[in-house]
Amino acid sequence: MTTMDTRPTGPPDEPEEPTNRPPSMHRVRNWLKRPYAKGIVGLTILLGILLLPVAWLILIPMQATGAPASEIMEGIEQTVFVFTLVSVPIVAFVYAVLVYSLLKWRKYKGDQIPKDESPAIRTNTVGVVLWTAMSSVLAFFLVVWGLIELAQITSNSYGTISADQQPGDEQSVIVNVTGQQWVWTFEYPQHDGVTTEVLYLPKDRPVYFNVTSKDVIHNFWLVELGVKIDANPGAITQTGVTPNKLGSFNLRCAELCGMHHAYMETSVEVVEGETFESVMREMGGGRTA
Amino acid sequence: MSTETITQTATVFGDEVPQPKQYGKPGGIMRRLNMGTALIGGIGLAAIAGFVANALVPAGASTITFAPVAPDIVYLAILVGWTIGFSAGIGAFVGPIRWLFGRDLTHADAEYMAGKDLGVKRYFKFTTDHKVVGVQYLVVFAFILGFGGLLAMLIRTELGVTWSEVFSPAFYNSMIGTHGIAMIIAMIISVMGPIANFIMPIMIGARDMAFPRLNALSLWLVVVAALCLVSTLFTGGIQDGWSVYQPLASQGPPAMLGYQMTIIVFAISTGVASVNLMVTALTMRAKGMTWSRTPIFVYGIFGAALMGLYAFPFFQYSQIMALTDRIWNTSFFNPLQGGSVWLYENLFWLLGHPEVYVIIIPGTVVLFELMPVFMRKPLFSFNFAVAGIVGVVALSGLVWAHHMYMTGWAPAANYPFMLSTEMISIPVGFLVLVVIGTMWRGLVWTRLPIMAVYAVIFNKMIGGVTGIYLSDVPVDQYMHGTMFVVAHFHYMLMGAGLFGAMAGLAFYFPKMTGRVLDERTASIGFWTAFTGFQITFMAMFVAGLQGMPRRVLQFDSLFNAPNWISTIGAYIIGLGMLIFAGAVVSSWISGDKAPSNPFGSKSLEWQTPTPVPLENFAVLPVVTEKPYNYGVPDPYEKELQEVDQDLHPEEVGTR
C-alpha cells in the first residue's frame, strides 16, 4: 500500500452552469480538491500562524537594553517587524512542502532501487508564473520600503549634511568623535572643546557626530539609538541622532580594531537638555556658540 | 615538426596515432617526483631563501615605524622559497620545461602522468587523471575543514567560558582570522574540487578535463596555499579577521605575509581551475549533448567558475598591494601617506560577495542533480534552474558594497546597492522553486543524500530571510558587525553550502571510492551536526539581536546565556561531524564494494563501471535524450483534460 495520493474515485463533479465559467477556474477548483493540495494549503496556514509570533519575538532581544531610544531605532525595529511579517508566508509555504513531503510522500527505504516512478512534472506554467510574480512583488515591496526607510533615517541622522554645514545654533549639539586603539574620545566644540570618555547627549535635541579615527578603522555604534558609522583614519564621516529617551545606553566598537577590540566600549548618557548643559559646565565648557 | 621524428605510433582506443620521440622511460623525470620530493624541495628552498634573506638584510635595520625589517623579509623569502620549491619538487614546472626543449609528450608519457598502473602512489604525485585529482581534492578539503573546525571549537570554548580569558586576545584574534579564511578556502573547493573534478568530465561524456596538467597544478597549489596559511599560526597569527582590513593588517605581525601569500597562490589555483572547468564544460561534452541535454550541475559549475574567474583577481591584487605596502613601503591603503582604506574594502568585497555564490551555487546544483534520482521524477523547470544560475551570476558582481553600507564610503551608493542586493532574491527564489517543484508529489526514497536536501532547504530559508534583513540599509545599521551577521552567513555557507556538499559527497561516494557508504552512521552524524547547528546559530541570532559585536572575546554579561547555549551546540556539531567523518573513513577503508549504479540513476556518470577505468570511456557515448528522464505521465493531467473536454470541447485544442 502506498501513501501516494490516489486519484479521486468519484466522477468529476458536474458543473452547474458550464458555459459561464472559464475552464481555468475549474482547474483551480479541481486542484484544490486533491488531497495533497488541501494538505499543503492547510499546513501553510498552520505553519504561518505558528511562525507569525516570530515577528514580535525577534523584537524582544533587540529591546533588551532599553531600545528604541531614537526615531532611527524605531524605524529599524519597524522594518525588522514588517520584513518578518512579509517573509512568514513564503517560509511557511516552503516549510509546508518540506513537511508534507516528509509526512506523506516518503515511501521507499533500503538499498533497493524503487520500481515505481513519480509523475513526470517537467514544468507547470501556472505555478512558475505565480511564484515569479509573487517573489517579484515581494522583492519590489521590500525595495520600496527599504528605500523610503533609508531616506527617512538618512534625514533623521542628518546624513546629507556635511561637516561645514552643521548648524551651530542653540538647539543642536556637535560632537567630534575620535576612535583610537582602544578608547573613544568625545569632543564638544561648542562647549570650549570639552573632551569626555563617556558620551553625554541631551534628550530631544539634534546631535551631529563627526567621526574619525587616529589609527585603524573602528565602528562607532550607539546600540539603543541605532547609530552606526565607521571611524576611518584619514577621513571624517558624518551622522547624527535625536535621542528621545532618557537613560544610560551602550556604545560599542563594531569593527575589529586589534587586540582589545572587545573592551572598546563605553556608555552613552542621555540626559535632559539642562542637565546636559550643567554637565558641560562642570567639565569646564561654557557654551560659546 | 619534420616527418623523420615521427618514427613510431601508439594505439589509442583502436586508432594508430603518430607519436613524437620517446625520451627515456615513459614519464621521464616525473617518475622520480612525488610528494616527498615536493616537501624536500619546498622546505629546502625555503630554508635556503630564509638564510640568504637573513644574510642580506642589514643587522638592526628598522622601518619608519621602528619595526625590525628582518622578520618580514625573511618570512617572505621563506614563503616564496616554499612555494617555488614545492611546485618544482612535485613536478609543476616539468611540462613547460619539456615544452621549451621541444619534447612533446608521447602517449606513454601521458598515460604515466595520468597514473596508469601506479596504484596508491598516484595519489601522492602530480597526477593528471581528473579522478585522482578529485579524490586528492576531497582529502585536502577534509583536512582544511578539520583544521578550520578545530579552530571553531576553540573559538566557541573561549566564548562559552564567559568568566575568564582562556586564550590571549592576540591568539583569539588569530584563531578568528584563520578559521575564517580556512573555511572560505575549504568551502570554495568543497564541491568545485572533489565532485566537479571527479564527476563532471564523466557526466558530460569526456575522457578527462580539457587541461589535465593544469588540473593537477590547481590541486597542488591549494596544498601550497594551505600550508602557507598554517604557517601563519607560528608567525604571530592573522589577527584581523578573514577580511584583514587595512590599516589594521599593516600593524600585524609577519603572519600577514603568510595570509597574503596564501591568497595570491590560492587565487592562481582558482583561476587555473576555473578556466579548466569552463573550457571542459564548453568543449568536451559528448556528441549529442546539446545545451538542453546538459545536466544542470554543469551549468552550475560553469557559473561558479565564471564568478571565481572574475572575482578572485580583485582579491589577489588587493593582497599584492597590501604586500608591497608592507615590504616596499608603497601606500595604496595607508591613509597617513595618501592611501585609502576604502580602496581596500572595495577590492576585498569585489571578491568577497561573488565568492559566497561560488560556494552556494555548486552546493545547490549538486542537490538538483541528486533530487531527480531519489524522487524518480524529472528536475522541475530546467529552464528556471538555468535562469536562476544566470541571474545570480549576473547580479553577483553588482552587490559588493552592501558589506560597506556603514563605512561612510559613499552613503548615496547605498540606494542602488540595496536595490541590486534585494533583486538577487528573485533568481535565488528560482532555485528554491526548482527544489520545491521537484519535491512536488515526488515519492521519496529516503536515502541520506535526499534527506540532506530537506536540511539544506530548511537552513537556506532562514539564511535567505535573514539575508533580506541585512540587505536593507536601515536594519543593517543595527545588525552590521554583530553576531547576527555571523549567524546569517553560517546558515548560508555551512547550513546550505557545507550540508549540501555533504549530501553531494554521500551521493557520489560509491562512484568516487568504489565503496558503499555506511549511511546509517553517516546519517546519525549528519543529523547530530544539524541539531547542533540549529542550537548554535539560533542562539547566535539572539546574541546578535541583543547587540553583541562579532570578533570579541569578552562581553557584557547580557550575552552570557546565548553564548553558553551556542557553545554547547558547537560541541554537538563537532561530535556530529566526527561521526560523519568516521563513517566516511571506515566505509572508504572497509565498506562493501559498490555496484556501478546503486541509485538507478540515468546520468552518464553512473553508466560507467565502478571503479571508473582510466580515460572513463572506451567508446565515447552519444547523448540522445534530455537529462532526468524519470517518471510516468501525470495521472491528474489526463483527468484535467477530460474535465476540460467535457466542459469546452471547442477550446481544448487551442490551449
Side-chain angles (χ1 to χ4, degrees), chain A residues 93-123:
Chain A
F93 172 69
V94 174
Y95 283 3
V97 177
L98 296 188
V99 171
Y100 193 85
S101 170
L102 282 178
L103 289 179
K104 295 282 184 179
W105 291 333
R106 206 156 55 146
K107 189 174 173 192
Y108 309 103
K109 281 182 183 171
D111 295 344
Q112 284 302 310
I113 300 164
K115 293 278 182 296
D116 300 338
E117 304 260 306
S118 305
I121 310 169
R122 278 196 179 268
T123 188

Short mmCIF file of all heavy atoms in Angstrom, two decimals, chain A residues 93-123:
data_model
loop_
_atom_site.label_atom_id
_atom_site.label_comp_id
_atom_site.label_asym_id
_atom_site.label_seq_id
_atom_site.Cartn_x
_atom_site.Cartn_y
_atom_site.Cartn_z
N PHE A 93 5.11 28.46 3.36
CA PHE A 93 4.79 27.62 2.20
C PHE A 93 5.91 26.61 1.94
O PHE A 93 5.65 25.41 1.77
CB PHE A 93 4.54 28.48 0.96
CG PHE A 93 4.41 27.67 -0.30
CD1 PHE A 93 3.30 26.86 -0.49
CD2 PHE A 93 5.39 27.70 -1.27
CE1 PHE A 93 3.19 26.09 -1.64
CE2 PHE A 93 5.29 26.93 -2.41
CZ PHE A 93 4.18 26.12 -2.59
N VAL A 94 7.15 27.10 1.92
CA VAL A 94 8.26 26.19 1.61
C VAL A 94 8.36 25.10 2.68
O VAL A 94 8.51 23.91 2.37
CB VAL A 94 9.58 26.98 1.49
CG1 VAL A 94 10.76 26.03 1.33
CG2 VAL A 94 9.52 27.93 0.30
N TYR A 95 8.23 25.51 3.95
CA TYR A 95 8.31 24.52 5.03
C TYR A 95 7.12 23.55 4.96
O TYR A 95 7.26 22.38 5.30
CB TYR A 95 8.36 25.21 6.40
CG TYR A 95 9.72 25.78 6.73
CD1 TYR A 95 10.77 25.73 5.81
CD2 TYR A 95 9.99 26.37 7.96
CE1 TYR A 95 12.00 26.25 6.10
CE2 TYR A 95 11.23 26.90 8.27
CZ TYR A 95 12.23 26.84 7.33
OH TYR A 95 13.47 27.36 7.61
N ALA A 96 5.96 24.06 4.51
CA ALA A 96 4.80 23.18 4.39
C ALA A 96 5.07 22.08 3.37
O ALA A 96 4.73 20.91 3.60
CB ALA A 96 3.56 23.98 3.99
N VAL A 97 5.70 22.45 2.25
CA VAL A 97 6.02 21.43 1.25
C VAL A 97 7.01 20.43 1.82
O VAL A 97 6.87 19.21 1.64
CB VAL A 97 6.57 22.08 -0.04
CG1 VAL A 97 6.96 21.02 -1.04
CG2 VAL A 97 5.55 23.02 -0.64
N LEU A 98 8.03 20.93 2.54
CA LEU A 98 9.02 20.02 3.13
C LEU A 98 8.33 19.06 4.10
O LEU A 98 8.55 17.84 4.05
CB LEU A 98 10.09 20.80 3.91
CG LEU A 98 11.01 21.77 3.17
CD1 LEU A 98 12.10 22.26 4.11
CD2 LEU A 98 11.65 21.12 1.97
N VAL A 99 7.48 19.61 4.97
CA VAL A 99 6.85 18.77 5.99
C VAL A 99 5.89 17.79 5.34
O VAL A 99 5.89 16.59 5.65
CB VAL A 99 6.11 19.67 7.01
CG1 VAL A 99 5.26 18.82 7.94
CG2 VAL A 99 7.10 20.49 7.81
N TYR A 100 5.10 18.28 4.37
CA TYR A 100 4.13 17.38 3.73
C TYR A 100 4.85 16.26 3.01
O TYR A 100 4.45 15.10 3.06
CB TYR A 100 3.25 18.17 2.76
CG TYR A 100 2.05 17.36 2.32
CD1 TYR A 100 0.90 17.34 3.09
CD2 TYR A 100 2.10 16.59 1.16
CE1 TYR A 100 -0.19 16.57 2.72
CE2 TYR A 100 1.01 15.81 0.78
CZ TYR A 100 -0.13 15.81 1.56
OH TYR A 100 -1.20 15.05 1.21
N SER A 101 5.96 16.64 2.34
CA SER A 101 6.72 15.64 1.61
C SER A 101 7.25 14.56 2.56
O SER A 101 7.20 13.37 2.26
CB SER A 101 7.87 16.33 0.89
OG SER A 101 8.76 15.41 0.36
N LEU A 102 7.74 15.02 3.73
CA LEU A 102 8.27 14.05 4.69
C LEU A 102 7.16 13.18 5.28
O LEU A 102 7.37 12.01 5.58
CB LEU A 102 8.99 14.79 5.83
CG LEU A 102 10.39 15.31 5.51
CD1 LEU A 102 10.95 16.06 6.70
CD2 LEU A 102 11.31 14.15 5.16
N LEU A 103 5.97 13.78 5.45
CA LEU A 103 4.88 13.03 6.08
C LEU A 103 4.21 12.08 5.10
O LEU A 103 3.93 10.94 5.43
CB LEU A 103 3.83 13.99 6.63
CG LEU A 103 4.23 14.81 7.86
CD1 LEU A 103 3.08 15.72 8.27
CD2 LEU A 103 4.62 13.90 9.01
N LYS A 104 3.92 12.57 3.90
CA LYS A 104 3.03 11.82 3.02
C LYS A 104 3.70 11.23 1.79
O LYS A 104 3.17 10.30 1.20
CB LYS A 104 1.90 12.75 2.55
CG LYS A 104 1.01 13.22 3.67
CD LYS A 104 0.03 12.14 4.07
CE LYS A 104 -0.93 12.67 5.13
NZ LYS A 104 -1.89 11.63 5.51
N TRP A 105 4.81 11.79 1.37
CA TRP A 105 5.38 11.33 0.11
C TRP A 105 6.59 10.43 0.33
O TRP A 105 7.23 10.01 -0.62
CB TRP A 105 5.75 12.52 -0.79
CG TRP A 105 4.56 13.26 -1.31
CD1 TRP A 105 3.32 12.72 -1.52
CD2 TRP A 105 4.47 14.63 -1.68
NE1 TRP A 105 2.47 13.69 -2.00
CE2 TRP A 105 3.15 14.87 -2.11
CE3 TRP A 105 5.39 15.69 -1.71
CZ2 TRP A 105 2.72 16.12 -2.53
CZ3 TRP A 105 4.96 16.93 -2.14
CH2 TRP A 105 3.63 17.14 -2.55
N ARG A 106 6.92 10.19 1.61
CA ARG A 106 8.05 9.32 1.90
C ARG A 106 7.59 7.89 1.68
O ARG A 106 6.58 7.47 2.23
CB ARG A 106 8.47 9.52 3.35
CG ARG A 106 9.88 9.20 3.60
CD ARG A 106 10.36 9.95 4.79
NE ARG A 106 9.52 9.67 5.96
CZ ARG A 106 9.98 9.61 7.19
NH1 ARG A 106 11.25 9.80 7.41
NH2 ARG A 106 9.17 9.38 8.20
N LYS A 107 8.32 7.16 0.86
CA LYS A 107 7.75 5.87 0.51
C LYS A 107 8.74 4.71 0.60
O LYS A 107 8.42 3.69 1.19
CB LYS A 107 7.20 5.94 -0.91
CG LYS A 107 6.40 4.72 -1.26
CD LYS A 107 5.74 4.85 -2.60
CE LYS A 107 5.09 3.52 -2.97
NZ LYS A 107 4.68 3.49 -4.34
N TYR A 108 9.91 4.86 0.03
CA TYR A 108 10.80 3.70 -0.08
C TYR A 108 11.95 3.82 0.90
O TYR A 108 12.42 4.90 1.20
CB TYR A 108 11.36 3.59 -1.49
CG TYR A 108 10.32 3.63 -2.54
CD1 TYR A 108 10.11 4.79 -3.28
CD2 TYR A 108 9.51 2.53 -2.79
CE1 TYR A 108 9.13 4.85 -4.24
CE2 TYR A 108 8.54 2.58 -3.76
CZ TYR A 108 8.35 3.75 -4.49
OH TYR A 108 7.38 3.81 -5.43
N LYS A 109 12.38 2.66 1.40
CA LYS A 109 13.55 2.62 2.26
C LYS A 109 14.51 1.58 1.70
O LYS A 109 14.16 0.83 0.79
CB LYS A 109 13.15 2.22 3.68
CG LYS A 109 12.54 3.35 4.48
CD LYS A 109 12.21 2.87 5.88
CE LYS A 109 11.53 3.96 6.67
NZ LYS A 109 11.02 3.46 7.93
N GLY A 110 15.69 1.53 2.29
CA GLY A 110 16.60 0.44 1.96
C GLY A 110 17.38 0.66 0.68
O GLY A 110 17.35 1.75 0.10
N ASP A 111 18.07 -0.39 0.28
CA ASP A 111 19.00 -0.27 -0.83
C ASP A 111 18.35 -0.51 -2.20
O ASP A 111 18.96 -0.25 -3.22
CB ASP A 111 20.14 -1.30 -0.66
CG ASP A 111 20.97 -0.98 0.58
OD1 ASP A 111 20.84 0.16 1.07
OD2 ASP A 111 21.71 -1.85 1.04
N GLN A 112 17.14 -1.08 -2.18
CA GLN A 112 16.52 -1.42 -3.45
C GLN A 112 16.09 -0.17 -4.22
O GLN A 112 15.45 0.72 -3.64
CB GLN A 112 15.30 -2.32 -3.21
CG GLN A 112 15.67 -3.75 -2.86
CD GLN A 112 16.51 -4.42 -3.93
OE1 GLN A 112 16.16 -4.37 -5.10
NE2 GLN A 112 17.64 -4.99 -3.54
N ILE A 113 16.44 -0.13 -5.49
CA ILE A 113 16.00 0.99 -6.31
C ILE A 113 14.49 0.87 -6.51
O ILE A 113 14.00 -0.20 -6.86
CB ILE A 113 16.72 0.96 -7.67
CG1 ILE A 113 18.24 1.05 -7.46
CG2 ILE A 113 16.24 2.09 -8.57
CD1 ILE A 113 19.04 0.67 -8.66
N PRO A 114 13.74 1.96 -6.24
CA PRO A 114 12.28 1.86 -6.34
C PRO A 114 11.84 1.45 -7.73
O PRO A 114 12.41 1.89 -8.73
CB PRO A 114 11.80 3.27 -6.03
CG PRO A 114 12.94 3.94 -5.36
CD PRO A 114 14.18 3.28 -5.82
N LYS A 115 10.79 0.61 -7.77
CA LYS A 115 10.25 0.19 -9.07
C LYS A 115 9.34 1.28 -9.65
O LYS A 115 9.35 1.54 -10.84
CB LYS A 115 9.45 -1.10 -8.91
CG LYS A 115 10.30 -2.30 -8.53
CD LYS A 115 10.95 -2.92 -9.76
CE LYS A 115 11.75 -4.15 -9.37
NZ LYS A 115 12.89 -3.85 -8.47
N ASP A 116 8.55 1.89 -8.76
CA ASP A 116 7.58 2.87 -9.24
C ASP A 116 8.23 4.21 -9.48
O ASP A 116 9.17 4.59 -8.80
CB ASP A 116 6.45 3.04 -8.20
CG ASP A 116 5.74 1.74 -7.96
OD1 ASP A 116 5.81 0.87 -8.85
OD2 ASP A 116 5.13 1.60 -6.89
N GLU A 117 7.68 4.92 -10.44
CA GLU A 117 8.20 6.25 -10.74
C GLU A 117 7.17 7.28 -10.32
O GLU A 117 5.97 6.99 -10.21
CB GLU A 117 8.48 6.37 -12.24
CG GLU A 117 9.41 5.31 -12.77
CD GLU A 117 10.83 5.81 -12.93
OE1 GLU A 117 11.02 6.83 -13.61
OE2 GLU A 117 11.75 5.19 -12.37
N SER A 118 7.62 8.51 -10.10
CA SER A 118 6.71 9.60 -9.73
C SER A 118 6.20 10.27 -11.00
O SER A 118 6.75 10.07 -12.07
CB SER A 118 7.44 10.60 -8.86
OG SER A 118 7.99 9.94 -7.76
N PRO A 119 5.15 11.10 -10.86
CA PRO A 119 4.66 11.80 -12.06
C PRO A 119 5.72 12.71 -12.66
O PRO A 119 6.42 13.41 -11.94
CB PRO A 119 3.46 12.61 -11.54
CG PRO A 119 3.56 12.57 -10.07
CD PRO A 119 4.33 11.36 -9.69
N ALA A 120 5.85 12.66 -13.97
CA ALA A 120 6.89 13.42 -14.65
C ALA A 120 6.43 14.86 -14.86
O ALA A 120 5.93 15.20 -15.93
CB ALA A 120 7.22 12.74 -15.98
N ILE A 121 6.56 15.67 -13.83
CA ILE A 121 6.16 17.08 -13.95
C ILE A 121 7.40 17.86 -14.36
O ILE A 121 8.25 18.15 -13.54
CB ILE A 121 5.61 17.60 -12.61
CG1 ILE A 121 4.57 16.64 -12.06
CG2 ILE A 121 5.02 19.00 -12.79
CD1 ILE A 121 4.18 16.96 -10.64
N ARG A 122 7.50 18.18 -15.64
CA ARG A 122 8.69 18.90 -16.09
C ARG A 122 8.56 20.40 -15.86
O ARG A 122 9.55 21.09 -15.68
CB ARG A 122 8.99 18.61 -17.55
CG ARG A 122 9.74 17.30 -17.71
CD ARG A 122 10.39 17.16 -19.05
NE ARG A 122 11.11 15.90 -19.13
CZ ARG A 122 12.40 15.77 -18.83
NH1 ARG A 122 13.09 16.81 -18.43
NH2 ARG A 122 12.98 14.59 -18.92
N THR A 123 7.36 20.90 -15.89
CA THR A 123 7.15 22.30 -15.52
C THR A 123 5.66 22.49 -15.28
O THR A 123 4.86 21.59 -15.51
CB THR A 123 7.65 23.27 -16.60
OG1 THR A 123 7.58 24.60 -16.09
CG2 THR A 123 6.83 23.16 -17.87
#
